[in-house]
Amino acid sequence: MVDHLYRLQLQTIMIHTYKLDGMHCGSCVGRVQEALEAVPGVKKVAVSLDPQEAVVSMSGHIDTAELDRAVRKAGAYSLTDEVQVINTMGGHNQAKADVFTAPTAAALPLANSDLAEPSATTYKPLLIILAFLLGITTLVEIRMGTFDWMRAMSTFMAGFFLVFSFFKLLDISGFASSYRMYDIVAKAMPGYGFVYPFIELALGVAYLTQVNPLITNVVTLVVMGISMVGVVQSVINKRKIRCACLGSVFNLPMTTVTIVEDGLMIGMAALMLAMM
């Protein structure tokens, strides 16, 4: 009997619903969730954008001020006392409650549920862009009269970096917020997210003008290789976050498609270096 009560106590957790303020997009949702999940004692978090709320499952009482401090460190957000507390042991809803059963925690909704599900339709903008780049590259080679692999790859990569930097620059602040969710450098240095679109722009111009191909390809390998690390980590951990490859203009989820995209640039840069 004592062992049964002890096991029941171990399974007992608390679930509180808090009101949030300051979120504007899926990236904000991800940043707030990540901040709350890092608080000691928090077991599971589900953040929603509409309404702006956080359902927090915890092993014991955590002061609201502590959760608010964690949220504020993630950005211009704030967290206030729970707007609703659900007692899963039965009875009426209470303004304050302390004991909840563990099975309910598993039923918490997924965060970032506003992200589109991976499908051909979801990636339609990306597929159209890649088709245009392949078409332009083919037309350039036809115009030149002979097909040259080095020239074709340089043209494709120039178009890739110029187009992708354009979409990032449309909302550079939104891109930086999304990029910081998974890129290892942007996490450590938030300003890197504001610089990255200009790095891609510079690489696009370099490939287009064929200025110092050796340095251009080496920089591409380093920049895209670092970016790949964060992408792979996010996909392996099955994090449901927005892919920032096309900035904040399109609602693209992070999947293996992003790995293929970065891997393509890394592979082409490495191949061009090998062919020099």
Side-chain angles (χ1 to χ4, degrees):
M1 179 65 176
V2 174
D3 289 341
H4 174 72
L5 291 175
Y6 179 71
R7 287 195 298 269
L8 181 61
Q9 183 179 9
L10 288 178
Q11 294 175 351
T12 301
I13 60 172
M14 301 169 62
I15 300 175
H16 287 239
T17 301
Y18 298 91
K19 185 179 184 300
L20 293 166
D21 187 46
M23 299 192 301
H24 304 288
C25 62
S27 298
C28 295
V29 172
R31 292 171 65 182
V32 169
Q33 176 172 331
E34 186 176 19
L36 289 173
E37 288 176 337
V39 176
V42 171
K43 296 298 182 182
K44 191 168 184 178
V45 180
V47 179
S48 64
L49 186 59
D50 185 18
Q52 293 193 40
E53 292 179 355
V55 181
V56 182
S57 167
M58 57 191 77
S59 57
H61 175 72
I62 300 176
D63 192 70
T64 303
E66 183 178 354
L67 297 174
D68 183 50
R69 283 194 295 270
V71 166
R72 290 179 182 275
K73 288 181 181 179
Y77 315 116
S78 63
L79 178 146
T80 54
D81 287 332
E82 57 267 26
V83 295
Q84 180 185 17
V85 179
I86 303 173
N87 186 346
T88 60
M89 298 297 292
H92 299 290
N93 291 350
Q94 304 172 3
K96 295 283 183 178
D98 293 321
V99 181
F100 303 90
T101 54
T104 306
L108 290 173
L110 290 174
N112 278 357
S113 57
D114 59 323
L115 285 176
E117 291 299 322
S119 66
T121 302
T122 303
Y123 291 103
K124 183 178 179 180
L126 182 60
L127 294 174
I128 291 176
I129 290 172
L130 293 178
F132 266 82
L133 294 178
L134 286 172
I136 291 171
T137 301
T138 302
L139 291 174
V140 169
E141 293 307 306
I142 292 175
R143 180 173 178 270
M144 298 303 294
T146 57
F147 188 90
D148 182 88
W149 278 105
M150 287 287 285
R151 185 175 58 224
M153 287 189 291
S154 183
T155 301
F156 181 87
M157 294 179 76
F160 178 92
F161 284 121
L162 289 174
V163 171
F164 278 62
S165 64
F166 166 77
F167 283 107
K168 292 178 176 68
L169 290 170
L170 288 177
D171 181 12
I172 191 169
S173 179
F175 162 75
S177 296
S178 298
Y179 199 50
R180 192 168 65 176
M181 286 298 302
Y182 60 89
D183 185 77
I184 58 175
V185 177
K187 283 182 179 179
M189 298 183 297
Y192 180 68
F194 292 89
V195 176
Y196 186 82
F198 295 98
I199 295 177
E200 284 197 339
L201 178 61
L203 287 173
V205 173
Y207 277 112
L208 187 63
T209 58
Q210 298 187 0
V211 175
N212 207 325
L214 176 61
I215 294 179
T216 300
N217 285 299
V218 170
V219 172
T220 298
L221 278 176
V222 173
V223 171
M224 300 305 294
I226 293 174
S227 180
M228 174 76 90
V229 174
V231 171
V232 171
Q233 288 178 344
S234 298
V235 173
I236 290 177
N237 294 331
K238 297 182 180 179
R239 296 184 61 198
K240 193 174 183 182
I241 58 177
R242 183 191 298 269
C243 173
C245 56
L246 288 177
S248 61
V249 179
F250 297 103
N251 186 18
L252 299 177
M254 179 75 70
T255 64
T256 52
V257 173
T258 313
I259 296 179
V260 173
E261 171 199 318
D262 287 353
L264 178 63
M265 293 298 102
I266 294 173
M268 292 179 73
L271 184 58
M272 291 176 72
L273 283 173
M275 293 174 65
M276 286 183 178

